[in-house]
Amino acid sequence: NAGVMQNPRHLVRRRGQEARLRCSPMKGHSHVYWYRQLPEEGLKFMVYLQKENIIDESGMPKERFSAEFPKEGPSILRIQQVVRGDSAAYFCASSSGQGGQPQHFGDGTRLSIL
Amino acid sequence: AQSVTQLDSHVSVSEGTPVLLRCNYSSSYSPSLFWYVQHPNKGLQLLLKYTSAATLVKGINGFEAEFKKSETSFHLTKPSAHMSDAAEYFCVVSVDGGSQGNLIFGKGTKLSVKP
């Protein structure tokens, strides 16, 4: 089953380190979305990418966060100099980009900051 | 602007009894609406979607939802709860069918099912 694959499933970092979260979309999907889920909250949109392009980054924090979706390989969400408040579950979704087609979600990466 | 409000943060039912999870939406455009389910430590699974076709939408696992424009509601129902239905449910709105751009999530409703 070639669903959306995220790794790692759990990531522990100390304050000030970098976190890299990976997402491989479903087969045939070229649109990737990243969401963050804080405890007791719904998911909040962060960024929408197509291959080699950022389409919408209106939900990304202005500093320390970046995302890419290269021509080859998975999409990467990168968090530099992590702080305690970055602890959350980060979900990736993908779609074909065709009208009416829903986004399919991965199982998420749980990021814990010590 | 689009938004969703899930009226109950926690719903508890007995196995075999009906389930009702309530959702109201706000949208400047003709919305697309979705219900997703999240089991513990898992990703989100699409239960059903409304995209301006039939107002009564049938989804997986016996769930269905009815789009009521006059009430701006999209409540999720199931005639008979099963233990495996215990999870968190999210009502979601998108202005463009959900495939382009971002989805807007409600805060979720945790469903507990008692034996």
Side-chain angles (χ1 to χ4, degrees), chain A residues 2-72:
Chain A
V4 179
M5 302 300 294
Q6 289 188 249
N7 68 82
R9 291 293 310 279
H10 300 273
L11 181 61
V12 179
R13 284 287 178 268
R14 296 188 180 279
R15 282 178 293 171
Q17 291 183 321
E18 178 180 287
R20 282 183 177 240
L21 288 62
R22 294 175 184 77
C23 170
S24 296
M26 277 183 71
K27 187 176 181 180
H29 287 184
S30 59
H31 298 240
V32 165
Y33 315 79
W34 284 94
Y35 295 82
R36 177 165 60 178
Q37 184 179 31
L38 295 169
E40 306 301 319
E41 294 279 330
L43 278 70
K44 293 285 195 293
F45 168 78
M46 299 180 76
V47 62
Y48 162 36
L49 311 104
Q50 293 181 35
K51 283 287 186 180
E52 300 184 279
N53 289 305
I54 296 175
I55 307 302
D56 180 355
E57 56 181 348
S58 58
M60 286 280 269
K62 293 289 184 279
E63 297 177 346
R64 302 187 298 107
F65 284 72
S66 62
E68 63 177 7
F69 189 17
K71 187 177 180 181
E72 301 290 338

Side-chain angles (χ1 to χ4, degrees), chain B residues 3 6 12 17 28 30 39 53 58 66 70-71 88 101 110:
Chain B
S3 67
Q6 291 184 245
S12 182
T17 64
S28 305
S30 180
H39 290 276
K58 293 189 184 298
E66 186 171 7
S70 60
E71 299 176 10
E88 188 155 22
K110 287 185 180 173

Side-chain angles (χ1 to χ4, degrees), chain B:
Chain B
Q2 288 69 243
S3 67
V4 285
T5 302
Q6 291 184 245
L7 298 166
D8 306 293
S9 59
H10 192 193
V11 170
S12 182
V13 300
S14 296
E15 190 175 21
T17 64
V19 176
L20 170 64
L21 304 183
R22 298 182 294 165
C23 173
N24 287 101
Y25 70 91
S26 172
S27 178
S28 305
Y29 305 92
S30 180
S32 292
L33 293 157
F34 309 80
W35 277 97
Y36 282 86
V37 60
Q38 184 180 30
H39 290 276
N41 296 317
K42 299 290 285 184
L44 285 86
Q45 181 183 19
L46 180 67
L47 279 178
L48 50 81
K49 65 175 182 176
Y50 166 78
T51 53
S52 75
T55 56
L56 181 62
V57 182
K58 293 189 184 298
I60 62 172
N61 301 337
F63 284 94
E64 61 182 38
E66 186 171 7
F67 174 72
K68 292 187 176 180
K69 187 175 181 179
S70 60
E71 299 176 10
T72 61
S73 68
F74 190 58
H75 301 334
L76 182 70
T77 60
K78 182 173 180 177
S80 176
H82 191 272
M83 295 297 292
S84 61
D85 294 328
E88 188 155 22
Y89 293 79
F90 292 96
C91 183
V92 181
V93 67
S94 169
V95 70
D96 56 10
S99 59
Q100 305 275 359
N102 68 78
L103 301 178
I104 298 167
F105 283 75
K107 291 195 172 184
T109 299
K110 287 185 180 173
L111 175 65
S112 300
V113 182
K114 297 174 289 188

